[in-house]
Amino acid sequence: MRYRQLGRSGVEVSEVGFGAWGIGASGWIGAREDESLAALHRAIDLGVNFIDTARGYGESERLVGKVVRERAAAGQQVRVATKVPPLNRQWPARPGVDPAETFPGAHIRESVQTSLRASGLERFDLVQFHVWHDEWMGRGDWLETVTELKEEGLIGLFGVSINDHEPHSAVELVRSGAVDAVQVIFNVFDQSPLDELFPACQEHGVGVIVRVALDEGGLTGRLTPDTVFPDGDFRQRYFRGDRLAEVERRAAAIAADLGIGADGLAEAALRFVLSEPAVSTVIPGMRSVRNVERNAAVGDGVPLGEAELKVLAGHRWDRNFYS
């Protein structure tokens, strides 16, 4: 496993991190606790030292905390990031909303304390707002509270999880110097962070955590129009209508243009993300030891070549399946 700096923070994170939404049995249906714990342990065995969870990810914080505490007792340090949900429970953040309705100081503090109790940890290495809008810059008491939590040692770094497919909505925050890291959707289909966000992050020393690198499964080469998701799984809505057929067609075109089989698509998609120098880590969801082993193997420091990146640049697809 190779490691990269998380922006200017001085913190080193594994190129491949662990996205823990799927193990929380919330949104993604079908996780088993024993399998999730085994996946977390195997990831750490393979050099993964960064785990991303959230207050809204069901049992995820509890499971992550359990494993991280066990590893700490054995002398291993694993960095944990979590997220504060917006008080008004609105995803994504909408324009015209006052920050007092989303991230008032008292709510931020209460959420962090609740997450600490759930995880059994004494601090988080990174706490992120689960949504963000640049309209909140210079308003409210969120920054004051974040500063206090840092001074109290309850959090190490501060970040935001940027609205789905809206990387432009956090550029002002990045340029302000108030944030240590941003989490953003970036994949072969959604290449929009390359336009403005990533250059700003590099200029201002802000770390980049990439989520949805595999497009919720669309870039794994395993989804077909016949794929059926469990009842209650959010992917039923994400891939509704004729979306599975369109994704299959586009995924097949990517594989054909790269000259690889469908089984190699996920690796290529992850290497595409890690070929971008602004990226600090990518956090695919991993609910099984098999997936951990396949994904962690990509953190070997081998980027895609210029010819491959040029091919993938032609597969940019601007859309929002979350809406």
Side-chain angles (χ1 to χ4, degrees), residues 195-211:
D195 300 340
E196 191 175 8
L197 180 70
F198 284 173
C201 287
Q202 287 187 288
E203 179 181 355
H204 296 277
V206 174
V208 173
I209 302 160
V210 170
R211 71 180 190 270

Side-chain angles (χ1 to χ4, degrees), residues 10-33:
V11 172
E12 282 197 338
V13 292
S14 49
E15 286 193 338
V16 178
F18 193 108
W21 181 19
I23 67 172
S26 171
W28 291 77
I29 303 301
R32 297 199 333 260
E33 183 161 327

Side-chain angles (χ1 to χ4, degrees), residues 4 7 33 45 72 129 147 160 165 180 186 219 235 241 245 295:
R4 300 185 182 189
E33 183 161 327
D45 289 341
F129 291 175
T147 301
V160 301
H165 306 297
D180 300 298
F186 176 55
L219 286 165
R235 289 170 296 173
N295 292 339

